[in-house]
Amino acid sequence: MSDAIGNRIKRYETLLKEMWAASAKYLGAFSVSLLMERVVWEVSLEYKEIELLQYDQDGVSCARIAARLEENPELPVEDMFMKFIARYVEILAKLLGYERAEEIRKRLRILGEEFNEDPFAKGGMKSGEDKNRH
């Protein structure tokens, strides 16, 4: 696997770990694990490889996704992770309310800027969207 792909996976892993930590603060680790399971299931309908995402009470790991990428470098990991993140935050907004979800979204956006990417730029719920939908 090229260094660029490996770095990309590490960036997504960092974003997912931040999502986990920020949402566990409000929901608890067990509920976040259930939320992750729900989003993995939804996203796996389109991207089966997301099932390789490892998560438990201790956090998140993308090691198995990185290994699969070595076998098949053509996997659409960018789209897969963007869909995952967008769906996760969308559900989180319903659980926590828009304001708290927006705080988490801002943290992720700042972290994404460190990686020269906006985790919400490729679709899914944007800032200010879906505010009142329940």
Side-chain angles (χ1 to χ4, degrees):
M1 176 170 45
S2 76
D3 285 341
I5 293 172
N7 289 336
R8 206 95 185 132
I9 295 295
K10 281 291 183 195
R11 290 176 184 154
Y12 286 119
E13 186 175 73
T14 300
L15 283 170
L16 295 175
K17 286 179 178 181
E18 179 64 24
M19 280 177 21
W20 178 281
S23 49
K25 182 171 100 175
Y26 297 108
L27 297 174
F30 181 75
S31 294
V32 172
S33 183
L34 291 175
L35 176 56
M36 294 285 281
E37 185 175 327
R38 165 66 187 258
V39 176
V40 164
W41 174 79
E42 283 186 34
V43 174
S44 75
L45 297 174
E46 187 174 350
Y47 301 103
K48 203 70 173 155
E49 291 77 13
I50 197 69
E51 292 177 351
L52 298 171
L53 182 68
Q54 297 171 284
Y55 54 91
D56 59 23
Q57 305 255 345
D58 297 322
V60 180
S61 171
C62 295
R64 290 178 20 193
I65 293 174
R68 177 66 55 92
L69 213 62
E70 285 184 26
E71 297 169 13
N72 182 3
E74 301 301 316
L75 290 175
V77 292
E78 303 287 326
D79 291 337
M80 179 180 72
F81 280 119
M82 289 299 108
K83 182 166 278 203
F84 184 92
I85 291 168
R87 184 64 183 136
Y88 184 97
V89 173
E90 183 180 353
I91 294 172
L92 195 62
K94 291 175 183 176
L95 292 172
L96 298 178
Y98 176 78
E99 290 78 20
R100 285 201 175 121
E102 187 63 22
E103 289 173 25
I104 293 170
R105 185 191 335 258
K106 285 178 184 174
R107 276 196 229 159
L108 293 175
R109 189 168 274 132
I110 290 168
L111 188 58
E113 286 172 2
E114 292 175 17
F115 303 133
N116 297 318
E117 63 187 47
D118 181 346
F120 304 102
K122 291 188 178 182
M125 193 171 75
K126 309 281 189 295
S127 180
E129 183 182 318
D130 204 24
K131 204 184 236 186
N132 299 311
R133 192 173 79 172
H134 293 282

